[in-house]
Amino acid sequence: MTMAPTPPPPPPIGQGLPSGLDEALVFRSLFAAYPDGLIVADAQGRIVLANDVAARLLDYEVDALVGLGVEALVPDAIRPRHADYRAAYGRAPRPRPMGTQMDLVARRRDGSEVMVEIALSPLQAHGVPYVVAAIRAIASYPRVRQALQRAHYAEQVAQFGRLAVDAREPEPLIEEVPRVAAEGLKVSCAAVYLLQANRLDFRVAASVGACPGELPGDIVPNRPDTLPGRVHADSAPVQADEAERSALAVPLLDRGRVIGAIVARADAPGRFGADELRFLDALASLLATSLQRAQTEEQLSHSQRLESVGQLTGGIAHDFNNLLTVISGNLQVLEDLPAIASDEFAQQIVGAAARASRRGADLTSKLLAFSRRQVLEPTALDAGALLRSLADMLRRTLDQRIRIEVDAPPDCPPALADAPQLESALLNIAINARDAMPDGGLLWFACREVPARSPDLPAELAEVEGTSYVAIAVGDTGCGMPEETRERAFEPFFTTKGPGRGTGLGLATVYGFAKQSKGAVALDSAPGKGTTITLFLPGEPHAARVEAAVENTASTLPPGLRVLLVEDDAEVRSVAQRFLVALGCRVTACASAEQADPELRPDAGIDLLITDIALGPGLRGTELAELARQRLPGLPVLLMSGYASALLEAPPGWDLLRKPYTRAELGRAMARALRPSPRAPRSPG
Ligand code: ADP
Ligand code: MG
């Protein structure tokens, strides 16, 4: 060991001690009465002297402390380096005051640790160096208390975080949060509030402490005069201090939207500061993340299930559609034959077959609607007018005990959707409402604009930039749905109605229609609370494109129109050909684009090209139409298909006809194709 340099002489204790007081006596009583722990150690680090305070602080008897190496008082983590520190101090001993800059920890006999501050001063006795250490426990200092409190919060959050990562479902976490919050914050009450689907109320999902109005299941209105309501309004934490109580509420956020709140309440004022806010906020983001994850997973599996059922039904429905086109077309031709027209019995039979084929067409169109392969012709439509006329119709047909109300503000902008399909979706919802209210009740319709990115939009639409939506809600005061029904209500063929009463296709078509219209549908229902179904449809900013009235009828077709018809399915072709003949046209029918090609000459005198889009191998109908327009600029073209996706191939502005069609529908579509169009100006001749 190197020789320690001589430290400065200790300052004199005082001049002229009263008689009878010698330094040794003063030293002994000071040593005993001193409020900090005092230890004297020799150059080897062995304790040679300790006072009672030090012994108590370190959990030893004084006698046990004396003789111990100071390393025993050092936490395990520091011990290997401590001898070096001590040696360094021995080389340059100088008084080191108690600082507040360093957080030191001492190890007690039982292994527990205590936060301390330590002052060192060297002592030279007869040339032998010693060190005096004054040790002060500081756990009760405000600064230290705060640090300990923060460590405690961090530990609680970390524990909850591990739970959140492992949790397969959010429910156990929701249950856990109030307990963690109440214990962590040492407060009496804590609760998790979740915003209900109607966004008008919060429900207490879990709570501890039984504060009034805060029991699980309690409903609290989403208004600024309630704590969670204020959190929702501000999208930010809220702190409420009263004379004898205080409360803190933080939002649960899902992509910036408030979906709930965590509330903590204490029986003392001013209990919540920045650290408490950070703690509760950390719990909130962990919980919100798991809620979000669970919701995404659920939506994904729900939509995957609906998607795969949709794929299946869509394929079948498409084949069916072609069959029905043939059946119903031939029946129409049959009906007009003179032999049948004059035979009442034959007419009855044909009529029954025609009705059955219409029902079949209805069913297939529902399946196509669900699988989003329906042919939609979106136009800007006035939702209010549509609701009012639907309500009028329902007032005349539904049970008088069902009251019908419409709330449609005049400033509601037009929605972009297929009007007949929207009407049929709303009718489906209304019929369900009727079924849910066998003893009468209220059926209401409402529409309003929902701006882009509004928190009122379903999550899947909230991220669509720049599109505002029109929400059309249909509500009833009927029996409502239990959770098992709610979860499956949009599945095709899911019904709770008896055989022959429900097909389970109503809401499935509503779902498919909403999705295909680039919108969404939301369902809010609870047993005894009624049901509200809300359709969100894209708003149409260019209101000018309001649906052109269907003023064109077959009668406006010029007689003797020369039509080039291209259709690969022989039966469908022959039905179309008969329709055209019945409409007074001269028809050239072809089975493929290649066969039609030579007819596309100026001298062939074609007035209108009608072509199916999917034409089997070879050119598609859309390609044929392009070719025709190059060769014969201005030639009117009508494209047909039973496939929505095929019709999507058509350039905008082209006239489309969905299959199956009636003769009248064909006539109207032809008239539309023939009218002089401002969108596609035709060169004269
Ligand atoms: P369906 O009406 O043929 O049963 P839907 O697809 O229209 O098929 O509805 C599926 C199921 O959803 C219904 O059988 C019913 O259980 C439930 N449902 C739909 N609308 C309502 C409503 N307004 N009130 C209560 N339950 C409803
Ligand atoms: Mg139904």
Side-chain angles (χ1 to χ4, degrees):
M1 168 148 202
T2 46
M3 251 329 274
T6 314
I13 290 180
Q15 308 263 299
L17 282 170
S19 63
L21 271 186
D22 63 11
E23 288 201 354
L25 195 62
V26 171
F27 159 76
R28 252 197 301 279
S29 54
L30 271 181
F31 199 75
Y34 201 67
D36 291 332
L38 289 175
I39 279 175
V40 181
D42 65 16
Q44 284 71 46
R46 193 181 325 282
I47 296 172
V48 296
L49 213 55
N51 69 357
D52 268 348
V53 179
R56 262 198 318 277
L57 178 68
L58 297 163
D59 190 32
Y60 284 89
E61 301 293 323
V62 171
D63 292 346
L65 215 44
V66 172
L68 207 65
V70 289
E71 265 74 38
L73 307 178
V74 171
D76 299 347
I78 301 169
R79 193 169 308 125
R81 279 166 286 150
H82 193 261
D84 291 343
Y85 294 159
R86 208 160 38 72
Y89 185 81
R91 283 194 294 278
R94 69 196 124 70
R96 203 181 74 187
M98 262 180 204
T100 48
Q101 304 310 313
M102 254 200 296
D103 289 333
L104 297 176
V105 177
R107 186 180 194 275
R108 307 176 85 225
R109 189 179 48 176
D110 64 358
S112 65
E113 294 179 351
V114 53
M115 294 189 75
V116 291
E117 283 180 343
I118 299 179
L120 298 177
S121 44
L123 181 69
Q124 193 78 251
H126 310 295
V128 181
Y130 291 93
V131 177
V132 181
I135 308 170
R136 181 181 295 170
I138 54 167
S140 54
Y141 285 16
R143 172 182 71 81
V144 176
R145 263 220 314 267
Q146 187 185 40
L148 287 175
Q149 188 62 54
R150 281 185 186 163
H152 164 75
Y153 287 153
E155 172 61 23
Q156 298 269 323
V157 168
Q159 264 181 28
F160 183 71
R162 281 193 289 277
L163 208 70
V165 168
D166 291 342
R168 302 295 316 134
E169 268 147 20
E171 284 76 20
L173 288 181
I174 296 176
E175 287 293 323
E176 191 67 4
V177 165
R179 197 192 57 71
V180 176
E183 279 178 16
L185 295 168
K186 299 193 177 64
V187 296
S188 46
C189 292
V192 173
Y193 287 79
L194 293 180
L195 189 59
Q196 300 288 87
N198 64 12
R199 306 191 150 267
L200 300 175
D201 298 308
F202 285 93
R203 189 176 56 85
V204 177
S207 67
V208 294
C211 270
E214 218 170 68
L215 295 175
D218 283 353
I219 298 290
V220 172
N222 178 12
R223 286 192 318 243
D225 60 338
T226 67
L227 257 185
R230 252 173 73 199
V231 167
H232 185 258
D234 300 356
S235 281
V238 170
Q239 205 163 330
D241 264 306
E242 287 175 30
E244 290 175 339
R245 290 178 303 178
S246 45
L248 176 63
V250 297
L252 291 168
L253 293 169
D254 179 356
R255 286 158 280 204
R257 301 176 334 139
V258 176
I259 55 166
I262 303 180
V263 175
R265 298 177 198 270
D267 293 327
R271 276 283 279 100
F272 302 110
D275 286 339
E276 286 67 31
L277 174 61
R278 260 197 299 278
F279 168 66
L280 213 54
D281 229 10
L283 288 186
S285 43
L286 284 168
L287 180 59
T289 309
S290 353
L291 286 173
Q292 194 177 318
R293 189 180 66 185
Q295 207 208 11
T296 311
E297 280 168 7
E298 188 180 314
Q299 271 176 359
L300 201 66
S301 75
H302 191 238
S303 58
Q304 273 167 353
R305 199 169 65 226
L306 291 179
E307 192 64 38
S308 50
V309 182
Q311 300 256 334
L312 271 174
T313 43
I316 300 167
H318 175 250
D319 290 344
F320 237 82
N321 227 5
N322 267 343
L323 296 177
L324 283 165
T325 309
V326 174
I327 295 172
S328 65
N330 279 317
L331 285 171
Q332 276 199 12
V333 173
L334 207 58
E335 237 174 350
D336 294 347
L337 290 183
I340 304 276
S342 60
D343 181 336
E344 203 173 314
F345 180 59
Q347 256 191 350
Q348 271 175 21
I349 292 175
V350 172
R355 278 194 299 281
S357 84
R358 272 198 295 279
R359 279 212 302 281
D362 200 46
L363 190 69
T364 32
S365 85
K366 280 180 182 157
L367 293 176
L368 285 171
F370 167 68
S371 52
R372 281 175 254 162
R373 297 196 198 185
Q374 183 172 227
V375 180
L376 291 183
E377 290 176 50
T379 52
L381 55 87
D382 177 349
L386 195 136
L387 291 182
R388 278 187 291 272
S389 93
L390 182 65
D392 280 343
M393 191 272 279
L394 291 170
R395 279 192 196 101
R396 278 182 270 115
T397 46
L398 292 190
D399 186 332
Q400 291 305 305
R401 288 173 302 170
I402 294 181
R403 209 151 40 84
I404 298 176
E405 286 177 8
V406 176
D407 175 16
D411 60 347
C412 182
L416 185 61
D418 181 300
Q421 295 306 322
L422 172 58
E423 203 164 15
S424 112
L426 293 171
L427 193 60
N428 271 313
I429 300 172
I431 289 171
N432 283 343
R434 176 204 64 189
D435 293 347
M437 299 188 288
D439 300 320
L442 173 66
L443 167 62
W444 55 267
F445 298 89
C447 64
R448 70 193 164 97
E449 179 178 21
V450 187
R453 309 197 71 104
S454 157
D456 293 346
L457 289 172
E460 66 215 270
L461 299 182
E463 277 157 28
V464 183
E465 203 74 55
T467 310
S468 76
Y469 291 84
V470 174
I472 302 179
V474 186
D476 65 58
T477 53
C479 58
M481 299 180 218
E483 179 159 1
E484 313 82 74
T485 304
R486 216 167 45 225
E487 278 174 0
R488 302 192 55 195
F490 291 113
E491 269 176 39
F493 308 114
F494 174 81
T495 177
T496 57
K497 300 171 188 173
R501 296 203 48 230
T503 59
L505 285 174
L507 290 183
T509 59
V510 170
Y511 175 88
F513 165 72
K515 288 274 186 184
Q516 200 186 340
S517 304
K518 297 192 171 61
V521 58
L523 168 61
D524 181 22
S525 183
K529 294 262 165 75
T531 299
T532 303
I533 291 188
T534 310
L535 277 170
F536 293 88
L537 297 169
E540 165 58 283
H542 316 294
R545 275 178 54 190
V546 175
E547 185 176 16
V550 204
E551 83 291 3
N552 298 310
T553 58
S555 62
T556 62
L557 286 179
L561 195 73
R562 276 172 198 271
V563 175
L564 177 58
L565 169 70
V566 191
E567 163 68 64
D568 59 328
D569 184 313
E571 306 247 31
V572 177
R573 186 168 65 241
S574 85
V575 168
Q577 190 166 5
R578 290 202 195 99
F579 279 176
L580 289 169
V581 170
L583 288 167
C585 304
R586 283 183 285 164
V587 188
T588 308
C590 304
S592 69
E594 290 65 29
Q595 203 185 333
D597 188 317
E599 304 295 329
L600 293 170
R601 290 171 283 116
D603 60 337
I606 299 293
D607 297 314
L608 172 65
L609 168 65
I610 301 182
T611 176
D612 189 26
I613 294 181
L615 288 175
L619 283 188
R620 291 176 73 72
T622 37
E623 292 164 324
L624 177 68
E626 278 299 345
L627 187 75
R629 287 220 163 159
Q630 277 164 23
R631 280 202 217 148
L632 306 169
L635 175 71
V637 175
L638 175 60
L639 296 169
M640 328 180 268
S641 185
Y643 263 137
S645 56
L647 287 181
L648 289 179
E649 288 171 27
W654 287 38
D655 289 290
L656 310 173
L657 178 61
R658 65 180 109 173
K659 293 201 274 191
Y661 45 80
T662 64
R663 186 170 53 205
E665 281 165 347
L666 175 62
R668 279 197 293 273
M670 289 166 65
R672 248 188 294 130
L674 288 166
R675 75 181 176 247
S677 164
R679 275 174 294 189
R682 290 178 187 132
S683 53

